Amino acid sequence: QVVCIDYPRPELESTRNYLDAAYLSSTFRNSARPKKPLEVVIAGAGLAGLCTAKYLADAGHKPILLEARDVLGGKIAAWKDEDGDFYETGLHIFFGAYPNMQNLFGELGINDRLQWKEHSMIFAMPSKPGEFSRFDFPETLPAPLNGILAILRNNEMLTWGEKVKFAVGLLPAILGGQSYVEAQDGITVKDWMRKQGVPDRVTDEVFIAMSKALNFINPDELSMQCILIALNRFLQEKHGSKMAFLDGNPPERLCKPIVDHIQSRGGDVFLNSRIQKIELNEDGTVKSFGLTNGNVIQGDAYVFATPVDILKLLLPEDWMKIPYFKKLEKLVGVPVINVHIWFDRKLKNTYDHLLFSRSRLLSVYADMSVACKEYYDPYKSMLELVFAPAEEWISCSDEEIIEATVEELSKLFPHEISADGSKAKIVKYHVVKTPRSVYKTVPGTEPCRPLQRSPVEGFYLAGDYTKQKYLASMEGAVLSGKLCAQAIVQDYELLSSTGLRSKLQGATFASN
């Protein structure tokens, strides 16, 4: 019987990355209180926009956060169906190697909302349908020994010869440090592995799954820099690869506490407030944000915390020749599909954990009726699955996507699920398509990622595509928000001297 067992919160507070993140958070709380708080208009209430607003409020300023949709969260948004069940934009996992995210939970007093799982990585075995292979990290060893032992003890996916060749191939990354890692942006995972003499089977057995989990694309497209950054975080910190699930839907369990925090410090958050146009002054700076509902919002500073594809659609023509903005052309969101399937029975061949499917169409999945408290059901399973790569499927019907998903599931659950529906029955399903999700981390994109402070005075960017060391992830979004808020606080004297005061021109908002 599969049961839900939450493990104790790991000891993260003593790691260097956690302490660095905690210090950055403290700079906002401890900064000198502004004589006249800046009113900062922020477009987008995903994690990047929420965190920009949160840390500006901590520093004594007034954020005005505008969200186009009627739900918080951006890429972690979720909705409730007519039965009261939630379906989400993605299957989101919170790692020990997410120091800014872990600090955020602590600052909000909601650490207990993370459900930590055993320190393992579990992979399905396509050659042995219905079986799994595990990498178990021993709790008694420090990093990187715990990770090395986890790899060495797994003999089902890689041979000893393949492990040795892989280890030798990684030596330049280990010895070269951060400068070497950054230099690998120009090569794909597949080409890097071959260049280092690592057998293709290592890529096929491990890194196809890892590439799809990190960026929803295959190793022949993904930049090797992305893999090396992840390996560095996971192997250099004892609990770096330890995973936690949020105990319920992200808008209510994570985003709402951030909004409450912002509003308690005088900030505002408005839903159903879509930006239609960035209006400019004669000198090329931002005059206001015009909304689709006719309202015009002015402030002392402006932030775009939307996905990069939305920003590019709304960029003023006068800005498009500026190199800072022109480079954004190469940053493109990757298509992602998230699938939820409710079955009429409890599936047995699963775990209370994230599972790497290693199938042709699926990236990772979890039985959320076991792994998540809010979704828990002792009698029926709900699988949440990431369908990736999704580029060829994003235009397909929900029915076609479900049919393909069930066909793959019949290989993962050969005794319980069949493609013809003769075994476990589908009660209902939801398919959530995101045509442009996180930026596609292909070779050559790193130099195109912008700093949070733009060359246009008073205009800033936040989002996981902006320059920060955690790439396209929730941690990257949180850190980008902190860095954006930091840039605005540093620019306080400049921004306050412009004399621009925020106005809600003819607008009446209902706070959400």
Side-chain angles (χ1 to χ4, degrees):
Q1 183 181 5
V2 179
V3 294
C4 180
I5 302 175
D6 292 337
Y7 287 74
R9 173 181 167 82
E11 296 179 4
L12 305 171
E13 287 75 12
S14 61
T15 66
R16 176 62 183 272
N17 286 328
Y18 184 94
L19 292 171
D20 287 346
Y23 174 75
L24 180 53
S25 293
S26 72
T27 62
F28 298 103
R29 298 190 300 269
N30 299 332
S31 64
R33 298 297 89 176
K35 295 178 181 178
K36 292 183 178 179
L38 296 173
E39 293 191 345
V40 183
V41 184
I42 304 167
L47 282 174
L50 286 165
C51 288
T52 302
K54 189 263 186 196
Y55 291 104
L56 283 173
D58 284 349
H61 298 288
K62 181 180 179 179
I64 302 169
L65 185 56
L66 308 174
E67 168 54 42
R69 300 189 294 183
D70 62 355
V71 62
L72 298 165
K75 299 185 189 77
I76 64 168
W79 300 265
K80 184 184 289 187
D81 67 15
E82 60 274 10
D83 300 319
D85 295 318
F86 278 92
Y87 55 101
E88 305 179 356
T89 306
L91 179 52
H92 302 288
I93 302 298
F94 299 80
F95 288 95
Y98 281 3
N100 291 282
M101 178 68 82
Q102 297 301 334
N103 267 276
L104 177 64
F105 272 84
E107 292 161 24
L108 297 170
I110 57 172
N111 274 331
D112 60 342
R113 297 187 183 184
L114 286 177
Q115 294 181 250
W116 291 95
K117 306 305 179 183
E118 61 181 327
H119 199 169
S120 303
M121 301 185 80
I122 306 172
F123 292 74
M125 298 291 288
S127 60
K128 300 177 181 179
E131 296 187 22
F132 296 87
S133 182
R134 299 169 59 104
F135 291 86
D136 295 316
F137 293 70
E139 294 295 326
T140 54
L141 292 179
L145 295 179
N146 63 341
I148 292 172
L149 188 58
I151 295 170
L152 293 178
R153 289 197 303 191
N154 182 298
N155 295 315
E156 297 162 314
M157 291 176 65
L158 300 177
T159 67
W160 275 94
E162 289 165 342
K163 291 175 188 176
V164 169
K165 289 181 179 179
F166 177 47
V168 172
L170 276 179
L171 281 177
I174 297 171
L175 298 175
Q178 186 63 25
S179 60
Y180 179 87
V181 170
E182 292 176 359
Q184 305 316 301
D185 173 57
I187 187 170
T188 66
V189 175
K190 189 172 184 178
D191 288 343
W192 185 92
M193 294 288 183
R194 287 179 172 174
K195 178 183 175 183
Q196 297 303 117
V198 179
D200 283 350
R201 221 179 72 84
V202 175
T203 303
D204 296 340
E205 290 294 302
V206 178
F207 288 100
I208 287 180
M210 193 169 181
S211 296
K212 289 164 72 171
L214 286 171
N215 199 238
F216 313 115
I217 56 178
N218 284 316
D220 60 347
E221 288 190 280
L222 184 67
S223 167
M224 187 61 194
Q225 183 194 48
C226 184
I227 290 286
L228 291 176
I229 287 174
L231 287 176
N232 182 50
R233 298 285 178 265
F234 290 165
L235 294 179
Q236 295 303 319
E237 299 178 24
K238 179 177 179 179
H239 303 293
S241 58
K242 193 162 189 175
M243 305 178 203
F245 285 70
L246 191 61
D247 67 356
N249 72 90
E252 291 180 359
R253 302 301 288 169
L254 174 55
C255 300
K256 186 61 165 60
I258 304 176
V259 168
D260 292 343
H261 182 93
I262 293 166
Q263 292 176 331
S264 72
R265 283 158 175 74
D268 290 318
V269 179
F270 303 113
L271 301 181
N272 298 305
S273 301
R274 186 179 298 275
I275 309 297
Q276 184 177 47
K277 188 176 182 181
I278 302 173
E279 297 282 359
L280 302 184
N281 294 303
E282 291 184 2
D283 63 358
T285 59
V286 180
K287 179 181 180 181
S288 63
F289 283 170
L291 308 188
T292 55
N293 60 16
N295 292 325
V296 176
I297 313 299
Q298 291 185 321
D300 301 300
Y302 299 85
V303 177
F304 243 71
T306 69
V308 66
D309 299 278
I310 294 176
L311 168 65
K312 289 191 291 185
L313 288 174
L314 292 171
L315 275 179
E317 187 175 348
D318 292 353
W319 291 1
M320 291 181 179
K321 295 180 181 179
I322 301 173
Y324 174 91
F325 295 110
K326 190 172 180 59
K327 289 191 297 183
L328 299 178
E329 293 175 5
K330 295 185 179 179
L331 298 178
V332 179
V334 63
V336 178
I337 299 172
N338 207 49
V339 179
H340 311 71
I341 304 178
W342 283 259
F343 290 93
D344 66 348
R345 67 195 68 181
K346 200 71 179 172
L347 300 174
K348 299 176 182 178
N349 193 37
T350 187
Y351 286 85
D352 175 20
H353 213 293
L354 179 75
L355 300 169
F356 293 84
S357 74
R358 299 177 71 215
S359 76
R360 181 175 57 91
L361 297 177
L362 304 177
S363 170
V364 292
Y365 71 97
D367 187 343
M368 299 297 280
S369 68
V370 173
C372 175
K373 289 178 182 175
E374 184 176 11
Y375 306 157
Y376 184 76
D377 188 328
Y379 306 110
K380 299 176 182 178
S381 284
M382 188 276 272
L383 296 185
E384 185 172 347
L385 313 104
V386 178
F387 197 99
E391 189 166 0
E392 296 180 4
W393 290 85
I394 200 74
S395 60
C396 292
S397 69
D398 291 357
E399 291 75 19
E400 290 173 311
I401 291 167
I402 290 296
E403 182 180 352
T405 300
V406 172
E407 186 174 340
E408 294 296 307
L409 288 177
S410 67
K411 302 168 187 174
L412 296 169
F413 298 84
H415 304 297
E416 301 179 83
I417 298 175
S418 61
D420 63 7
S422 60
K423 297 176 183 177
K425 308 295 184 186
I426 296 177
V427 176
K428 66 177 179 179
Y429 60 80
H430 289 293
V431 176
V432 180
K433 298 178 181 178
T434 307
R436 291 287 182 265
S437 182
V438 296
Y439 78 96
K440 197 172 184 178
T441 314
V442 296
T445 53
E446 187 62 24
C448 302
R449 298 173 66 203
L451 294 171
Q452 287 74 28
R453 181 188 285 110
S454 88
V456 176
E457 183 180 306
F459 186 77
Y460 303 81
L461 299 179
D464 57 21
Y465 70 93
T466 63
K467 198 74 170 177
Q468 40 73 28
K469 61 184 179 181
Y470 290 94
L471 300 181
S473 65
M474 291 189 293
E475 172 69 11
V478 172
L479 179 54
S480 78
K482 293 174 85 168
L483 294 175
C484 182
Q486 181 185 53
I488 294 170
V489 171
Q490 290 172 346
D491 293 347
Y492 171 71
E493 295 297 335
L494 173 66
L495 296 170
S496 60
S497 68
T498 62
L500 291 176
R501 302 310 305 158
S502 175
K503 298 178 183 178
L504 303 181
Q505 296 183 344
T508 302
F509 288 93
S511 182
N512 292 279

